[in-house]
Amino acid sequence: MLRRLLVSSSSGRHLISQHNPSYKSATKFNNSESFSFSCPLSIVFHRPINLSRVFAMADERTSNTASSGAHKHTNRLAGEHSPYLLQHAHNPVDWYPWGEEAFAEARKRDVPIFLSIGYSTCHWCHVMEVESFEDEEVAKLLNDWFVSIKVDREERPDVDKVYMTYVQALYGGGGWPLSAFLSPDLKPLMGGTYFPPDDKHGRPGFKTVLRKVKEAWDTNKDALIQSGAFAIEQLSEALSATAKSPKVPEALPEKAVQKCAEQLSDSYDAEYGGFGSAPKFPRPVEIQLMLYHSKKLKENGMPGEAKEDLSMVVHTLQCMARGGIHDHVGGGFHRYSVDECWHVPHFEKMLYDQGQLANVYLDVFSITKDMIYSSVSRDILDYLRRDMIGPNGEIFSAEDADSAEFEGASRKKEGAFYIWTSQEVEDILGEHAPLFKEHYYVKSSGNCDLSRMSDPHNEFKGKNVLIERKSTSEMASKFGMSMEEYLKILGICREKLFDVRSKRPRPHLDDKVIVSWNGLAISSFARASKILKGEPEGTDFYFPVVGTDPKEYMEVAERAAAFIRQHLYNQQTQKLKHSFRKGPAAAPGFLDDYAFLISGLLDLYEFGGSICWLAWAIELQNTQDELFLDKEGGGYFNTPGEDPSVLLRVKEDHDGAEPSGNSVSVINLVRLASLVASGSDHYRRNGERLLAVFEKRLKDTVMAVPLMCCAADMFSIESRKQVVLVGPKSSPEYDGMLAAAHASYNPNRTVIHIDPTDVEEMRFWEENNDKIALMAKSNFTSDKVVALVCQDFTCNPPVYDPSSLESLLSK
């Protein structure tokens, strides 16, 4: 009988879901009602109790290293490019990167593999490093009994997916750092997330776990290996769903959108906004679903119900923008809020959040024309431009939550870069301090007191996370000022704080370039370049918003796309690499890289970019079909399936913090079918089969797939609205007409712009959609831009000015 070590309780899982900053919800499996398997070793994970000791240990070790003038240890990770792997290059643990050298060593020694997966801006990864991987005693156990492998989950999402799925299947949840034990042939034996170094409160510490795994390996190796093989077999079967019919039932897409909207409404927090309870993650796919459903209700003659959906979105985005999850001083959004009121965040900033959030704020601006939303979208994009873009246009991945409190300090604290004491604010702002302090709820005792969940361990005692609790108009009235004067003072104050903050030690920047995340950002920059032209002329902007001409955002998008094409794309094989840092990483492009980049390129073209971006999107879609499409069962796998060390090939459908590659792919296929007549049938067939693969999800678990619900409904519309602009692109009218084409919110619209004097453009359309080429020739006039709005194979009479086009599209 195998020794089974199981530590599990409802309270333990509550702790994970409430407090583990790397917590990730469980994967729902595609084609099975229930899924489970047992594991000879199962250990549930939990968070640390007191961090002060952790950082004191870090201080002591760093001091010792500094005084010696050299690193005491250096392992194989020192030769890697990943910032996360380099962070562990001087641990006493004899780390290997993922690869055959490590696998061969495990086979040779006949020992298990300890696999640790994280990322460079992961707070709890840092904690486990300080507590365990810097500890000589722990390192000796790992080095003597295991082959230890470090993986950057952002660099190798395919490896992470295999073992995260395993842990989620066992425990119903997971997160980072991910800790797993594998057989030498890479089958999982057991896993968890964070482990403290020593036993506490009846739960095993990491040293105990290592001893138990070693004991089980020595006494029950064959059973362990058999169990791991069985687990992978079951997971492989569960995660490779196939279509049981050629397409989904006709009524299903609309029902799925309706059902998802109803379920989101049921979980809506009427007081603080958002869907669900704390911790609150910004999940833009939920906003997209509610906006899409609101538009459908309005089109179906239900304006009251449409307004209800929109009001939930508006309230949520306003609460997020006013909350501490929003960096009021520097722009952009933090990863999530630990409390229900969006106040105290987990302070890391991720590129994939910025790109998606900028887009939903742009969408709401295009619906409401309220400058609150355009200003927040600018705030996000200006943060990226200032802090997250490299010299060649590449957009970096993330900023850490932790930083040193002062220059030269070895101790790092979460949020140190972003928080303020009341005295600091007074010293910096002088006469404006009382106004600023009241506006942002700054108190001498600290302001992290709005919820019992905001600061349960008093880590931010005496410190303030800026939050707006009252409307700006209310505050301006209280101080007897005009809105313009009040906003100007706030902007001046924020800039003064920004200047002081800039002298603090900065959080670690992960300057890795990830294709998929750049695709999301390219989309938002491109869209902003035209949607923001709807702002009133002469609008004033206040720091940290720069207030630049929106066309500059298009330049940012094009530079980022050009970087990927130059550095991460092989023009001979037409394949992508996944990431770049000091050169392309070895990992190939994954489904998300292709899908998100294609989506960004389609936006780049539709919002005014060159025809070359559309041509590249078509090229990438062909490669995506070749590498990832299940030609028998339908849908896309997340990996190309060429690496034998990656044991699972998954068809991902969960729209979480990032949308799934399959959801985005359906929308890409719909858009491409509307643009490219020559491939239209092929695109639609692939989209139909993909949706059929996930029919059960669209029926039973819509909350897990909000974007796929939208995608299915988009697909069910037989004819998208097409706006065709014909005319010289050098003319001053062209930009205004293109902005008018995008002025209103409509995800079921395709915008085509063509200059018949451009030989390259005409050749493209003659080869890919001769009807568009003919339309361009027959409607061209050299002195004006012509707009044609077409749907259901008929076109409205042409219009020649932006206001007429906007009026036509708003009907």
Side-chain angles (χ1 to χ4, degrees):
M1 184 72 178
L2 293 178
R3 182 176 184 125
R4 183 180 179 86
L5 178 58
L6 176 62
V7 180
S8 176
S9 70
S10 58
S11 60
R13 290 186 182 173
H14 176 76
L15 279 173
I16 296 162
S17 65
Q18 297 300 320
H19 297 299
N20 185 344
S22 300
Y23 175 73
K24 181 178 180 181
S25 62
T27 296
K28 305 291 190 293
F29 296 96
N30 306 322
N31 61 349
S32 56
E33 291 279 342
S34 60
F35 176 82
S36 65
F37 55 81
S38 62
C39 173
L41 283 168
S42 302
I43 304 178
V44 163
F45 26 85
H46 51 284
R47 79 186 296 274
I49 304 302
N50 186 341
L51 295 184
S52 59
R53 181 181 61 85
V54 174
F55 291 115
M57 291 160 58
D59 296 348
E60 182 181 350
R61 270 191 291 276
T62 307
S63 174
N64 291 341
T65 300
S67 62
S68 67
H71 294 291
K72 185 177 178 182
H73 303 281
T74 299
N75 55 54
R76 293 167 184 80
L77 302 185
E80 295 296 305
H81 287 168
S82 156
Y84 177 63
L85 300 188
L86 290 171
Q87 286 172 354
H88 293 264
H90 302 292
N91 295 164
V93 178
D94 187 18
W95 292 113
Y96 287 76
W98 183 265
E100 181 54 37
E101 183 186 4
F103 312 151
E105 180 67 12
R107 291 193 297 268
K108 175 185 168 186
R109 290 172 52 195
D110 191 27
V111 295
I113 291 168
F114 169 64
L115 174 65
S116 177
I117 303 178
Y119 54 104
S120 75
T121 59
C122 165
H123 174 73
W124 295 97
C125 302
H126 303 332
V127 172
M128 192 163 177
E129 178 189 16
V130 169
E131 289 183 328
S132 293
F133 304 144
E134 287 285 354
D135 185 274
E136 298 280 355
E137 182 185 352
V138 172
K140 183 171 182 359
L141 298 179
L142 284 169
N143 296 342
D144 289 349
W145 296 343
F146 303 90
V147 168
S148 299
I149 298 178
K150 262 284 171 194
V151 166
D152 181 341
R153 73 108 177 172
E154 294 171 355
E155 192 174 65
R156 291 304 303 260
D158 53 340
V159 175
D160 176 62
K161 183 67 182 177
V162 174
Y163 302 105
M164 180 62 76
T165 302
Y166 169 80
V167 168
Q168 287 175 324
L170 278 178
Y171 307 121
W176 298 279
L178 184 71
S179 303
F181 294 87
L182 320 178
S183 62
D185 63 352
L186 309 181
K187 304 298 191 304
L189 309 177
M190 62 79 60
T193 60
Y194 164 84
F195 292 103
D198 300 301
D199 300 351
K200 283 182 186 293
H201 310 295
R203 295 191 177 103
F206 191 48
K207 296 170 192 171
T208 297
V209 171
L210 295 178
R211 293 186 181 102
K212 295 294 183 183
V213 174
K214 161 69 171 166
E215 179 185 339
W217 181 258
D218 289 345
T219 58
N220 296 288
K221 182 195 309 180
D222 293 342
L224 275 175
I225 292 172
Q226 185 179 355
S227 173
F230 178 63
I232 287 295
E233 195 178 299
Q234 282 194 299
L235 285 169
S236 181
E237 184 180 337
L239 293 167
S240 56
T242 59
K244 294 180 171 56
S245 58
K247 57 183 178 180
V248 297
E250 194 171 312
L252 180 58
E254 189 166 1
K255 286 181 180 176
V257 171
Q258 174 70 24
K259 186 176 179 181
C260 190
E262 289 173 355
Q263 292 184 5
L264 284 171
S265 298
D266 289 343
S267 69
Y268 174 65
D269 181 344
E271 184 174 3
Y272 297 111
F275 303 96
S277 57
K280 281 187 174 173
F281 289 74
R283 191 183 174 204
V285 289
E286 294 173 336
I287 302 293
Q288 289 176 276
L289 183 285
M290 296 301 284
L291 291 176
Y292 189 87
H293 185 243
S294 176
K295 181 168 176 59
K296 282 185 69 72
L297 290 171
K298 190 175 181 181
E299 290 171 347
N300 292 335
M302 304 170 73
E305 292 86 341
K307 190 175 180 180
E308 287 178 18
D309 278 8
L310 181 60
S311 69
M312 294 182 210
V313 168
V314 163
H315 183 54
T316 295
L317 294 186
Q318 286 183 4
C319 289
M320 285 171 52
R322 293 199 301 262
I325 192 173
H326 177 208
D327 179 1
H328 296 274
V329 169
F333 280 79
H334 299 295
R335 182 65 197 92
Y336 66 86
S337 167
V338 302
D339 52 48
E340 69 277 14
C341 44
W342 302 106
H343 183 200
V344 178
H346 178 46
F347 288 89
E348 68 182 320
K349 288 181 174 179
M350 308 301 296
L351 177 58
Y352 58 77
D353 283 323
Q354 315 307 325
Q356 292 181 89
L357 286 169
N359 265 336
V360 294
Y361 277 97
L362 287 168
D363 285 340
V364 175
F365 170 69
S366 69
I367 294 167
T368 65
K369 305 305 178 187
D370 190 327
M371 286 282 294
I372 289 173
Y373 308 103
S374 64
S375 181
V376 175
S377 65
R378 282 179 175 271
D379 164 295
I380 296 167
L381 299 176
D382 289 347
Y383 153 66
L384 292 179
R385 289 177 73 196
R386 187 185 63 245
D387 290 342
M388 299 297 285
I389 295 182
N392 298 306
E394 69 275 30
I395 309 178
F396 300 140
S397 297
E399 287 192 292
D400 206 336
D402 301 0
S403 58
E405 291 188 283
F406 53 88
E407 205 63 54
S410 55
R411 174 178 178 172
K412 289 187 176 183
K413 289 190 69 175
E414 183 174 6
F417 186 70
Y418 300 100
I419 57 180
W420 303 91
T421 65
S422 176
Q423 188 63 52
E424 283 176 316
V425 172
E426 291 171 11
D427 292 345
I428 296 164
L429 300 184
E431 64 174 317
H432 294 315
L435 180 150
F436 187 89
K437 287 172 63 176
E438 185 157 357
H439 184 89
Y440 286 108
Y441 188 57
V442 174
K443 303 192 302 180
S444 57
S445 60
N447 73 354
C448 300
D449 56 4
L450 293 177
S451 164
R452 63 179 179 81
M453 301 179 72
S454 297
D455 189 22
H457 303 291
N458 293 318
E459 293 175 69
F460 300 118
K461 187 176 181 181
K463 302 297 175 67
N464 294 272
V465 177
L466 302 185
I467 182 172
E468 298 174 292
R469 301 189 68 198
K470 297 179 181 177
S471 71
T472 305
S473 58
E474 183 182 348
M475 294 297 293
S477 176
K478 179 174 180 177
F479 281 89
M481 297 180 182
S482 67
M483 278 286 285
E484 183 181 359
E485 182 186 7
Y486 188 78
L487 290 170
K488 185 176 181 181
I489 289 173
L490 285 179
I492 290 169
C493 291
R494 288 191 297 263
E495 188 164 13
K496 286 182 177 180
L497 291 178
F498 178 86
D499 291 340
V500 170
R501 196 176 83 172
S502 298
K503 297 177 176 65
R504 294 175 174 175
R506 288 196 67 89
H508 159 71
L509 170 69
D510 188 329
D511 58 356
K512 184 165 66 268
V513 180
I514 297 175
V515 170
S516 57
W517 298 0
N518 270 248
L520 295 170
I522 287 167
S523 168
S524 60
F525 276 109
R527 297 180 75 243
S529 72
K530 297 300 176 290
I531 293 174
L532 292 178
K533 285 185 176 290
E535 293 172 324
E537 283 190 31
T539 297
D540 290 320
F541 298 100
Y542 307 96
F543 193 87
V545 175
V546 176
T548 53
D549 189 318
K551 70 181 180 183
E552 292 187 24
Y553 292 136
M554 177 60 77
E555 294 167 8
V556 175
E558 292 195 308
R559 286 192 77 211
F563 179 90
I564 293 171
R565 188 169 176 87
Q566 181 179 351
H567 296 283
L568 286 158
Y569 182 66
N570 185 316
Q571 300 204 31
Q572 280 69 49
T573 64
Q574 298 185 349
K575 293 180 180 179
L576 291 166
K577 288 287 190 180
H578 171 64
S579 63
F580 180 99
R581 187 175 186 273
K582 299 181 179 178
F590 303 112
L591 173 62
D592 288 0
D593 296 311
Y594 285 84
F596 295 7
L597 179 57
I598 290 167
S599 179
L601 293 173
L602 291 176
D603 284 332
L604 201 47
Y605 167 71
E606 287 199 48
F607 283 80
S610 164
I611 195 72
C612 72
W613 303 122
L614 176 55
W616 190 25
I618 294 166
E619 201 172 88
L620 287 170
Q621 187 63 56
N622 293 338
T623 304
Q624 178 182 316
D625 291 349
E626 176 191 327
L627 293 177
F628 304 98
L629 182 66
D630 182 350
K631 295 176 177 63
E632 299 297 320
Y636 293 101
F637 292 106
N638 67 334
T639 62
E642 297 166 352
D643 186 343
S645 72
V646 180
L647 304 184
L648 289 179
R649 212 175 172 209
V650 176
K651 291 180 187 174
E652 180 66 74
D653 62 354
H654 182 244
D655 297 318
E658 300 170 61
S660 83
N662 273 294
S663 297
V664 175
S665 291
V666 176
I667 298 173
N668 290 344
L669 292 169
V670 169
R671 296 175 72 182
L672 285 166
S674 180
L675 287 159
V676 183
S678 57
S680 179
D681 291 343
H682 169 71
Y683 295 138
R684 290 198 66 82
R685 274 197 308 273
N686 287 345
E688 276 184 336
R689 291 282 283 162
L690 189 160
L691 290 169
V693 170
F694 302 111
E695 179 180 335
K696 185 172 176 57
R697 287 285 244 175
L698 291 166
K699 284 180 178 175
D700 299 339
T701 50
V702 288
M703 283 273 279
V705 290
L707 190 64
M708 188 170 287
C709 293
C710 297
D713 194 78
M714 290 180 198
F715 193 89
S716 70
I717 296 169
E718 291 187 15
S719 176
R720 282 169 72 83
K721 184 173 285 187
Q722 285 185 322
V723 182
V724 182
L725 303 180
V726 181
K729 294 187 178 179
S730 57
S731 71
E733 294 81 14
Y734 166 75
D735 229 28
M737 289 291 273
L738 195 53
H742 291 290
S744 58
Y745 169 79
N746 188 352
N748 290 309
R749 175 180 57 216
T750 295
V751 176
I752 296 168
H753 46 90
I754 180 168
D755 184 345
T757 65
D758 188 313
V759 175
E760 182 186 354
E761 277 196 27
M762 287 303 294
R763 185 185 302 120
F764 174 89
W765 290 111
E766 285 164 356
E767 292 175 0
N768 291 282
N769 194 332
D770 55 2
K771 290 179 181 175
I772 296 296
L774 182 60
M775 192 183 295
K777 288 176 184 174
S778 58
N779 286 278
F780 177 67
T781 59
S782 60
D783 60 340
K784 62 180 69 174
V785 179
V786 179
L788 300 110
V789 179
C790 310
Q791 193 164 18
D792 298 325
F793 310 106
T794 59
C795 296
N796 290 87
V799 295
Y800 302 94
D801 64 271
S803 60
S804 298
L805 178 56
E806 279 195 47
S807 177
L808 185 59
L809 290 174
S810 66
K811 290 180 181 177

